[in-house]
Amino acid sequence: MPVLVFGGPYSNLQATEALLAEAVRRGIAPENIICTGDVVAYAADPQACCDLIRTSDMAVVMGNCEEALAAGAEDCGCGFDADSECAALSSQWYAYTSSRVDRRTCDWMATLPARLDLQIGGTRLAVIHGGNREIARFLFASQDEALRQELDWAGADGVIAGHCGLPFTRMLDGRLWHNPGVIGMPANDGTPRVWCSLLTPTDTGLTIEPIALAYDHAGAAARMRAEGLPEGYATCLETGIWPSEDVLPSSERAAGGTALLPQPVHWESQVELREVA
Ligand SMILES: [Fe+2]
């Protein structure tokens, strides 16, 4: 059966509703949906977003935002430089979020696994949030050396990860690194679209289909403004441009503002070769 994977609902209730509607439209059952974490972050409805995700019965990997809230931490755990724009923005949305998520939800966050192991198409995939050893490690498509290191650590045929906010697929030495992107914020590509992926097993591996979701981004932005949340992220929901590119490597910065046009790709698993060896 196909598996729908996505990351970063980020307290964006409208986007989360659109994701679940897309799953219904495609006939994807909740047990075949996986979220790579950060259920809460920038947007206006953290409690409602958690409630919707929890009651959907999908699988959820712990994100750094869940880890931080469960521990009662004072920031989101991204490790931003103190004088960076990301740090200033996160101090605002994190304080808002932590004051609006109830204790029971924080307790649920504490139960989330750091890793799920998914067997699909004869392959073994590790599903994590950021890195294998660092939950808030930012990993991008341009960082092959770091991705290879993480694949070694994962000890699987491939990794499905989240956290960085951009969708991408890399095939390295026959192994797969796939980030389906996030649904709670656009992909810094100049459009309000948000992203998830459908993984469909084949006889020899997986087909990975990126899915762009259109949703009520104006409604989500209006909710943020009504709650007095950082205007940069509310504007981002409409323009598709991130308020800060602090975390991006140079090649991802250079690609900012250009609409993504991802196509389905097939990953030819190396499992048979490995078993012969
Ligand atoms: Fe994260």
Side-chain angles (χ1 to χ4, degrees), residues 38 64 129 163:
D38 285 352
N64 56 288
H129 179 66
H163 185 60

Side-chain angles (χ1 to χ4, degrees), residues 133-180:
R133 300 180 180 179
E134 184 185 340
I135 192 171
R137 186 178 189 187
F138 287 99
L139 292 157
F140 293 95
S142 62
Q143 299 172 316
D144 282 358
E145 193 173 331
L147 296 176
R148 282 194 175 93
Q149 178 189 52
E150 291 283 348
L151 283 162
D152 289 344
W153 287 341
D157 303 315
V159 168
I160 307 295
H163 185 60
C164 82
L166 298 181
F168 70 92
T169 300
R170 296 289 295 150
M171 296 174 199
L172 300 165
D173 314 320
R175 297 176 296 178
L176 171 72
W177 189 281
H178 176 63
N179 191 320

Side-chain angles (χ1 to χ4, degrees), residues 166 186-193 195 239-242 255-262:
L166 298 181
N188 198 36
D189 74 337
T191 82
R193 302 170 302 166
W195 295 88
T239 64
I241 299 296
W242 290 2
T258 302
L260 297 175
L261 292 168

Side-chain angles (χ1 to χ4, degrees), residues 51-135:
D51 291 345
L52 191 55
I53 296 273
R54 285 183 69 184
T55 56
S56 74
D57 287 332
M58 70 176 68
V60 183
V61 168
M62 180 186 283
N64 56 288
C65 294
E66 286 77 66
E67 183 182 65
L69 286 167
E74 293 187 354
D75 63 50
C76 66
C78 280
F80 299 129
D81 292 338
D83 58 353
S84 68
E85 190 167 2
C86 283
L89 290 166
S90 78
S91 70
Q92 297 174 58
W93 65 254
Y94 186 82
Y96 171 89
T97 303
S98 62
S99 69
R100 284 167 176 78
V101 174
D102 64 26
R103 187 65 245 168
R104 193 159 159 256
T105 301
C106 291
D107 291 344
W108 166 72
M109 290 176 175
T111 69
L112 296 174
R115 166 174 169 159
L116 291 172
D117 287 279
L118 173 66
Q119 293 201 23
I120 181 170
T123 70
R124 296 171 300 121
L125 304 180
V127 186
I128 59 175
H129 179 66
N132 287 278
R133 300 180 180 179
E134 184 185 340
I135 192 171

Side-chain angles (χ1 to χ4, degrees), residues 4 6 13-30 33 48-49 51-58 183 196 213:
L4 184 65
F6 71 101
L13 181 60
Q14 291 78 2
T16 305
E17 290 171 339
L19 181 282
L20 291 171
E22 181 71 12
V24 169
R25 195 179 71 78
R26 290 173 177 263
I28 310 293
I33 305 176
C49 206
D51 291 345
L52 191 55
I53 296 273
R54 285 183 69 184
T55 56
S56 74
D57 287 332
M58 70 176 68
I183 64 164
C196 58
L213 283 181

